[in-house]
Amino acid sequence: CCVLIVVSGTGKAADHELRRLTTIHLERGERVQLEAREDMIVVRFGLPDLSSLQQRVSDTPALAAE
């Protein structure tokens, strides 16, 4: 899967408006068509498939850093 981030410009994806810092999450194999109203810069980040990792169960509660 991947995440698309609009860095600059405006446009549309389906019925959704795109503008600076709009984020789009796509599942593996999913596609989206972007329509730019003006020059648009979009950055694509590929995400690793972590589905095969086992979740570790701990008796110790997690603590948030403050």
Side-chain angles (χ1 to χ4, degrees):
C1 63
C2 71
V3 172
L4 305 174
I5 300 175
V6 178
V7 177
S8 67
T10 61
K12 288 179 75 171
D15 294 331
H16 302 282
E17 295 295 318
L18 302 176
R19 62 180 186 273
R20 185 173 180 266
L21 300 182
T22 298
T23 304
I24 301 170
H25 177 263
L26 297 175
E27 293 294 337
R28 184 171 304 282
E30 189 176 14
R31 294 176 177 253
V32 65
Q33 184 170 344
L34 306 179
E35 180 182 322
R37 283 202 194 91
E38 56 186 70
D39 288 344
M40 190 166 58
I41 297 174
V42 179
V43 178
R44 178 185 181 270
F45 292 95
L47 302 176
D49 181 0
L50 303 177
S51 63
S52 65
L53 296 180
Q54 280 187 319
Q55 181 179 3
R56 291 192 284 171
V57 178
S58 174
D59 294 334
T60 307
L63 298 176
E66 295 184 27

